[in-house]
Amino acid sequence: QVQLVESGGGLVQAGGSLRLSCTVSGRTFSTVAMGWFRQTPGKEREFVARISRTGNNRGVADSVRGRFTISRDGAMMYLQMDSLKPEDTAVYYCAADPSSYYSGTFPNRYEYWGQGTQVTVSS
């Protein structure tokens, strides 16, 4: 079992920054591949970023490339979000895939999910 808890969401003006954190417990952190997804009402959950077990492989969605950075350290995973836009408004979820070294971009690849944290970007 893996437990995930996100934090760091909030309200920010366009152009601002936020850093989301995901605390991982219940399993050795280095044994799970991780990812960030986001979702808005009425839409499917959307891939944002992913990172391998060791942190050596990382990827972000085209929509956030150059603005968002994923990282991991100890039992934590982070999403640094800069130059935020109103279209980044969503509930952000961290996810864990214990069966892969570097997981995919589809939500069904991930077995464990956090409860989500709201990010709202005002124009």
Side-chain angles (χ1 to χ4, degrees):
Q1 282 281 16
V2 177
Q3 292 81 43
L4 307 174
V5 178
E6 303 95 338
S7 60
L11 173 64
V12 64
Q13 288 189 332
S17 298
L18 283 174
R19 189 174 82 153
L20 303 183
S21 300
C22 177
T23 303
V24 183
S25 61
R27 182 167 174 153
T28 304
F29 187 47
S30 62
T31 66
V32 293
M34 302 290 296
W36 287 100
F37 289 77
R38 64 187 182 187
Q39 190 170 23
T40 55
K43 292 189 176 181
E44 294 185 352
R45 199 160 290 189
E46 174 191 26
F47 166 74
V48 176
R50 55 178 174 157
I51 191 166
S52 63
R53 292 183 182 183
T54 61
N56 290 337
N57 300 89
R58 310 180 192 197
V60 297
D62 289 343
S63 59
V64 304
R65 184 165 289 114
R67 301 188 298 119
F68 290 14
T69 305
I70 188 172
S71 62
R72 61 192 296 166
D73 180 32
M76 302 287 292
M77 180 180 65
Y78 304 99
L79 186 68
Q80 178 66 42
M81 304 186 296
D82 299 317
S83 302
L84 282 161
K85 303 176 181 180
E87 51 262 44
D88 294 319
T89 295
V91 177
Y92 283 72
Y93 298 90
C94 67
D97 174 6
S99 62
S100 302
Y101 168 75
Y102 184 44
S103 196
T105 61
F106 291 95
N108 60 9
R109 290 288 302 271
Y110 295 80
E111 183 173 351
Y112 299 100
W113 293 85
Q115 82 289 349
T117 186
Q118 176 71 47
V119 171
T120 303
V121 184
S122 63
S123 57

